[in-house]
Amino acid sequence: MTSGDFQELDTGEVTLPDTDEVIPVRYLGGELADDEENSRRRLLADWMVAPDNPYFARATVNRIWSHLFGRGLVDPPDDMGQQNPASHPKVLEALAEYFKQSDYDLRQMIFLLTGTQAYQLSSSSGESGDAMPELFHRMAIKSLTAEQMYDSLAAATCRLQPAQLGGPTFGLNRVLDQGRQSFLTKMRTPNNGGTKFQSGIPQALSLMNGGLTAGATDGSESDILQSLQAPFFSDEERLETLFLATLTRLPQPDEQTTFLAYLETHDSEETKQRALGDVLWALLNCAEFALNH
Amino acid sequence: MRSITRRTLLKAAAAGGVGWSTQGWCRLLADQLSASRSSRRHCILLWMNGGPSQLDTFDMKPGHENGGEFKEIATSVPGLGISEHLPGLASMADELAILRGLNTKEGDHGRGTYLMRTGHPPAGPVNYPTIGASLSKELGSSRDDLPNYVSIAPYRAFNQEAFEPGFLGPSFAPLTVGASDIIAAAPAEDSGDEGYAPLKVDDLAFPRELHPSQSAGRLQLWNSLQTSFLAHHDVASPRGHDTVYRRALRLMNSDSAKAFDLSQEPDQVRDAYGRGRFGQGCLLARRLIERGVAFVDVTLGSLTGASIGWDTHQNNFAAVKELSAELDAGWSTMMIELRDRGLLESTTILWMGEFGRTPKINDMGGRDHYPNAWSCVLAGGGIQGGQAYGKTTDDGMEVDEGQVGVGDVLATLCKALGVSPEDENISEQGRPIRIAEGEAIADVLA
């Protein structure tokens, strides 16, 4: 549900269904929430962040951890309780304490976590596959949310200029961007992020064959492909530009061989432009682009 | 689908007498595979969006003021009567088990849709899967070219989650064809090819302007990127990405994708089903079942003009008459064609909406929402047809006999399909959740 479905009322009581019996409002734990001065929402907020409430800081820290690491210290993060202990209880306690002392500063918490060695580990799995993700011995590979996917596509294909991405009007542009909205409707997944790949066949079809990708990989429409037409570029440079724009890395030697060979078989200006579109298509549809790794 | 468990393997080995024999289990595997293909079961959900009037379709009240304008007609089963506007189904009543004692608690479109399609009221943290996702997981195979679950002409605006795979995840999501969720997107009924409602899969082929040599080149480059990334990142999400993409590619390149091309059918066949979205959807369902798809749902009653399908708060009788004509043509032709192909006995059909409608006719000649006493229909494979199970009072207000809930209906559907309703899947909270809560109705099972 969206927040638009709710309306805060300043009056009104909760009654038993089909009766007039008023149910008094209590805190979790049983104490009456009885205060004429303040709204109930205010009372709830104060109660949640009260220094003697042990739950809020732990749950919040665990949630931020799970966003960054793909799984919580307590996992699933919605299932906190004695039956589901944390993988690293001392780490969770220390982070919760730090979070309280920083006056619940999310920015500082994210700064702290992203600076850790644990966060900066490689996601490369080597031989060990999926074994023991709860040890956080390498970075988890996370799926992009639909929003991240659209923005990544837009940024990689120069549909949005970098200045626009950071600029103050970006928020409004995003709401008004109908292409973005219809993409999000199509690509929406029940649990955004996480370490499971969430999309299905219709979404894959749309990314391979849909209008957004077709436009981005068509030489006469695509901004990035048109800019690569300049005659002073070599094929190596064109290839490097496309890899950097999509995967933010240079091609590996074996990739360079494969892709250059493909470009070289297309030597007229028209077929070259098409071949560059094919390279971009492959890059935009590969797992490395679609995942946060 | 039943798979070979460690236990059956061990049993086979033990039966061989001298412990482990490779030859033994190879044969077992081959036998199981061929058996599973020929004994494949299928399910079709005919989803009646808006809440169909039971009193004007399958639970008539002739002679009572609540009964309304329509006459009851006799069917091929002595003593069993249904609406005069369903003559095709009346002649096939030996296939139908009409459940007249359905009782549920949700009278809101969104909540009722979720309840009936998942078996659970919408509440709490669990994202329950729509029944098509759970059943196609049991009945389908990931080796098939076509998706195991296809959803035709759904109207998801009442409750998006009721059409989703929930905690089962996206690999069990339906392939959706001809959705009409918002007014702007709803294709006009007759805007398609030569007067038939269009039903097509979006983006099923590379863009037309692509040079033929390019598609091979693209896939070759993609494959090299994909293979080298997976070699160093052999964990869940890259594997999931790879599986989904390869299935999508298989669908694009398969002959089976021709199932979606209804223009391959002769006009008289297309006309017999009805030219609208529902009729053409039933034809598509038959073509998909023929090619082994496990679960298909077809919606009747998406947005038409100002009103939503079966939600007949006003002018109930004119609307239901029109909807009945579409329903009768599509459903009965589909059953005949499945039967002719020997597929009806392996295909179970469930007809239902989110709730029934008030027996009392309101001042605008309409009927309102009524979950207290209503009907659904099971038909085909595994079902003891030719009966009405349960009974409502003469005024239609209460269930008199044979009261059942949504869990019982879904458990019965599972059993008819050879699926155990007690089988569990694990929710995202780590909780085991049964495919269907409730008791299968023994009298309705063949």
Side-chain angles (χ1 to χ4, degrees), chain B residues 53-374:
Chain B
S53 166
Q54 70 282 11
L55 293 111
D56 307 306
T57 52
F58 292 104
D59 189 12
M60 309 291 288
K61 297 293 174 193
H64 194 282
E65 61 174 321
N66 290 350
E69 296 173 7
F70 297 167
K71 292 192 182 67
E72 185 177 57
I73 54 167
T75 68
S76 59
V77 176
L80 184 64
I82 62 174
S83 155
E84 60 180 323
H85 299 298
L86 300 170
L89 289 168
S91 69
M92 301 190 80
D94 50 316
E95 295 287 353
L96 309 179
I98 301 169
L99 307 187
R100 286 178 174 162
L102 199 47
N103 170 279
T104 54
K105 305 288 178 221
E106 300 291 351
D108 164 81
H109 288 294
R111 296 184 62 86
T113 300
Y114 190 88
L115 174 74
M116 296 311 290
R117 294 185 63 99
T118 68
H120 298 269
V126 182
N127 291 306
Y128 291 101
T130 192
I131 190 68
S134 321
L135 283 173
S136 60
K137 177 171 180 284
E138 299 298 311
L139 301 171
S141 157
S142 60
R143 291 189 297 271
D144 292 346
D145 285 342
L146 288 170
N148 299 132
Y149 176 15
V150 179
S151 180
I152 302 171
Y155 176 85
R156 293 166 294 193
F158 283 146
N159 193 321
Q160 171 84 29
E161 283 79 15
F163 293 80
E164 289 178 352
F167 61 70
L168 294 180
S171 50
F172 299 100
L175 178 73
T176 299
V177 186
S180 61
D181 299 347
I182 47 172
I183 302 172
E189 283 280 328
D190 56 357
S191 72
D193 37 299
E194 289 137 27
Y196 299 104
L199 291 173
K200 68 185 257 292
V201 183
D202 289 339
D203 308 322
L204 188 55
F206 279 127
R208 215 167 284 171
E209 55 277 15
L210 204 67
H211 197 270
S213 70
Q214 282 182 277
S215 49
R218 287 183 168 193
L219 292 178
Q220 179 220 331
L221 296 176
W222 177 82
N223 205 37
S224 72
L225 286 171
Q226 197 75 352
T227 311
S228 73
F229 186 74
L230 260 86
H232 299 106
H233 300 88
D234 184 19
V235 292
S237 48
R239 281 202 302 260
H241 180 277
D242 200 53
T243 307
V244 166
Y245 260 77
R246 288 187 195 280
R247 287 201 71 185
L249 285 165
R250 211 158 67 197
L251 175 64
M252 285 164 61
N253 293 304
S254 79
D255 255 12
S256 310
K258 294 201 180 97
F260 295 101
D261 183 7
L262 297 182
S263 68
Q264 294 187 337
E265 294 284 342
D267 280 358
Q268 63 266 36
V269 172
R270 298 191 77 176
D271 288 339
Y273 277 90
R275 294 184 159 216
R277 257 200 301 272
F278 178 77
Q280 296 302 295
C282 287
L283 171 57
L284 178 55
R286 186 265 283 162
R287 290 173 64 86
L288 293 168
I289 298 292
E290 277 181 292
R291 287 164 177 80
V293 172
F295 194 104
V296 182
D297 67 36
V298 190
T299 295
L300 172 58
S302 37
L303 221 59
T304 44
S307 70
I308 292 172
W310 295 93
D311 196 25
T312 50
H313 291 284
Q314 318 173 24
N315 299 327
N316 171 72
F317 297 98
V320 171
K321 186 177 167 187
E322 219 167 281
L323 287 159
S324 296
E326 275 192 87
L327 176 67
D328 193 57
W331 184 0
S332 64
T333 310
M334 181 177 77
M335 282 209 294
I336 292 168
E337 291 217 319
L338 286 172
R339 194 162 66 184
D340 290 349
R341 288 162 174 75
L343 285 166
L344 190 53
E345 59 193 55
S346 59
T347 305
T348 311
I349 299 164
L350 171 59
W351 175 91
M352 67 178 181
E354 62 264 41
F355 37 62
R357 304 207 76 85
T358 41
K360 195 167 154 38
I361 299 159
N362 69 25
D363 295 341
M364 294 174 293
R367 298 189 191 268
D368 304 315
H369 305 175
Y370 201 67
N372 193 49
W374 55 296

Side-chain angles (χ1 to χ4, degrees), chain A residues 3 42 46 79 82 89 129-130 138 142 177 259 278 291:
Chain A
S3 55
R42 168 89 212 187
D46 287 344
D79 189 18
Q82 284 175 346
D130 274 339
R138 61 160 180 269
K142 290 155 288 187
D177 185 345
F259 281 75
D278 299 339
L291 301 168

